[in-house]
Amino acid sequence: MTDIATSAATLAAATSALPDKPDLKPARPFFSSGPCAKPPGWHADGLATASLGRSHRSKIGKSRIVHAMELTKRILGIPDTHVLGIVPASDTGAVEMALWSMLGARPATMMAWESFGEGWVTDVVKQLKIDAKVVKAGYGEIPDLAATDWSTDVVFTWNGTTSGVRVPNGDWIADDRAGLSICDATSGVFAADLPWDKLDVTTFSWQKVLGGEGGHGVLVLGPRAIERLESYQPAWPLPKIFRMTKGGKFNASIFKGDTINTPSMLAVEDVIWSLEWALGQGGLSALIERADANARALDAWVEKTPWIEHLAVDPATRSNTSVCLKFAPSAVEGLDEEAQLALVKKIASLLEAEDAAYDVAGYRDAPPGLRVWCGATVETADIEALGPWLDWAFHAARG
């Protein structure tokens, strides 16, 4: 009985030492880095439904696909020199289409500073067996962009979703490049003003800054990429969903609404809703400002919180969407990596149980820490309300 009483007293003392729960919760506790939060005001009943249950090749089906494509080009300011198509398998499918169809014509440079960039390295070096130069930087860092060899085809991510590190701009991309610039922009597009004249291939998905559904990719090709498709035939066979030529010529129909395979018309209607919402906000500049405001609000909390730090070292290359955080060394002293990962899991579980924040654990391959999506579909007031909850959850889990 004495042992039970002692244990109860110890538990009561520990519980009383925990910080109080904050009074205010985020109104929309959706902070996942993909699929991301729906835009404010989104509701399923607001979606157009006339295309549902219809063929994507019917007049209405194709018209809605083309409408989504045209809205995307309009908001992003994609020039008439470039074409845009909806392709299978999310951003991954779009990147793979470019890698398998275009690489091999000349030497390649693969740049990686987070897990998805590492994935493209694996595909090119181990699957396609291209003798590529691999340029890497650790989580939180970025390679020396100025040293990039533009006599080669260069593959890079604009924004590292799992590291929170992005390229600061497109100034480092050579105007007189001999190789292609192939950019995975999935967590950066709609939150950055991309230099389309410097990007020969750009890929992204609907599930990031637009808060769309997963499963569909977007592929944007400039004239140099189209020329590569018509002048170069890879040595390896191409699956049907990767083929962008027909009879040796660029298959322009894919980029006019004739999708390679059947898209989800529900996902198409969903992204149209988001695109129209984006236009109503003021277009690209407004989306960038929303993301920047969210990132500033989270940074303000980080700056005054001793147990957490940004994973991205340099503020100039710090993401304004997938903001990745790591524990301050003093906050996890004595905890090995496995224990720190358990701490992350506990923090995320506590927050989800309180409906205060969903999906804020860092990426599984990244250093232990948190990841908070700050893209345009998140409200700044919710980021401001999140900080105290993160603080509560850390001390509750650590205590």
Side-chain angles (χ1 to χ4, degrees):
M1 292 296 292
T2 302
D3 289 342
I4 294 175
T6 302
S7 298
T10 302
L11 178 60
T15 302
S16 64
L18 295 178
D20 292 334
K21 293 178 184 177
D23 295 327
L24 180 66
K25 291 183 182 180
R28 300 168 69 240
F30 302 99
F31 301 105
S32 164
S33 291
C36 301
K38 293 294 187 186
W42 181 94
H43 54 96
D45 291 342
L47 302 184
T49 58
S51 68
L52 306 188
R54 297 295 305 275
S55 168
H56 61 299
R57 305 202 188 281
S58 67
K59 183 177 180 180
I60 188 172
K62 184 172 179 178
S63 70
R64 297 301 280 173
I65 292 171
V66 170
H67 184 48
M69 295 163 65
E70 290 177 343
L71 284 174
T72 302
K73 293 184 72 173
R74 176 182 171 187
I75 293 170
L76 293 178
I78 297 174
D80 292 338
T81 54
H82 290 51
V83 297
L84 178 149
I86 296 170
V87 300
S90 195
D91 177 62
T92 301
V95 174
E96 297 288 13
M97 285 179 70
L99 300 183
W100 284 68
S101 299
M102 299 181 201
L103 291 190
R106 60 172 53 243
T109 297
M110 305 296 299
M111 306 186 76
W113 54 85
E114 50 97 46
S115 61
F116 288 103
E118 289 276 5
W120 310 141
V121 170
T122 297
D123 290 348
V124 170
V125 175
K126 294 187 177 181
Q127 301 300 321
L128 297 179
K129 301 187 185 305
I130 291 175
D131 185 16
K133 179 181 180 181
V134 179
V135 179
K136 293 187 179 183
Y139 278 90
E141 305 280 354
I142 198 167
D144 180 7
L145 300 177
T148 305
D149 180 3
W150 286 106
S151 69
T152 68
D153 293 330
V154 178
V155 181
F156 68 98
T157 55
W158 189 273
N159 183 99
T161 310
T162 64
S163 70
V165 175
R166 64 176 178 179
V167 298
N169 50 54
D171 295 349
W172 59 287
I173 303 174
D175 292 327
D176 61 349
R177 60 193 177 278
L180 297 179
S181 57
I182 301 176
C183 175
D184 171 3
T186 197
S187 290
V189 72
F190 293 103
D193 192 4
L194 300 184
W196 296 106
D197 60 320
K198 290 177 176 285
L199 300 177
D200 300 311
V201 179
T202 310
T203 70
F204 57 93
S205 68
W206 294 338
Q207 64 177 331
K208 298 295 186 180
V209 181
L210 288 175
E213 293 302 298
H216 298 75
V218 177
L219 180 63
V220 181
L221 304 180
R224 300 179 73 252
I226 295 172
E227 191 278 331
R228 172 69 63 83
L229 288 171
E230 294 188 331
S231 64
Y232 167 67
Q233 177 66 43
W236 43 83
L238 290 178
K240 177 182 178 180
I241 63 171
F242 288 178
R243 297 174 201 157
M244 291 181 278
T245 59
K246 194 173 184 179
K249 295 294 183 180
F250 176 62
N251 186 2
S253 65
I254 297 172
F255 299 85
K256 295 179 180 179
D258 290 333
T259 55
I260 296 172
N261 69 336
T262 307
S264 162
M265 293 309 300
L266 183 58
V268 170
E269 295 296 355
D270 179 78
V271 80
I272 288 173
W273 195 101
S274 294
L275 289 164
E276 291 176 342
W277 169 82
L279 278 177
Q281 295 298 305
L284 180 61
S285 61
L287 298 183
I288 294 172
E289 175 50 35
R290 286 179 65 91
D292 285 348
N294 290 337
R296 286 194 299 268
L298 186 60
D299 179 62
W301 173 77
V302 171
E303 287 299 313
K304 66 181 182 182
T305 304
W307 59 268
I308 200 74
E309 299 173 352
H310 284 285
L311 180 58
V313 176
D314 184 359
T317 60
R318 190 172 292 158
S319 173
N320 65 342
T321 57
S322 56
V323 181
C324 298
L325 308 172
K326 64 180 180 180
F327 296 120
S330 60
V332 288
E333 187 176 358
L335 298 184
D336 60 16
E337 183 171 327
E338 183 177 354
Q340 291 183 44
L341 290 171
L343 178 61
V344 170
K345 185 176 180 180
K346 181 63 175 176
I347 290 170
S349 296
L350 286 168
L351 291 167
E352 183 166 349
E354 295 289 339
D355 293 319
Y358 304 142
D359 310 315
V360 295
Y363 192 72
R364 59 181 179 269
D365 294 333
L370 306 175
R371 182 172 59 164
V372 178
W373 184 256
C374 289
T377 58
V378 175
E379 298 278 35
T380 303
D382 287 335
I383 295 289
E384 293 170 343
L386 172 66
W389 279 98
L390 294 176
D391 201 41
W392 168 82
F394 170 77
H395 287 98
R398 191 74 171 96

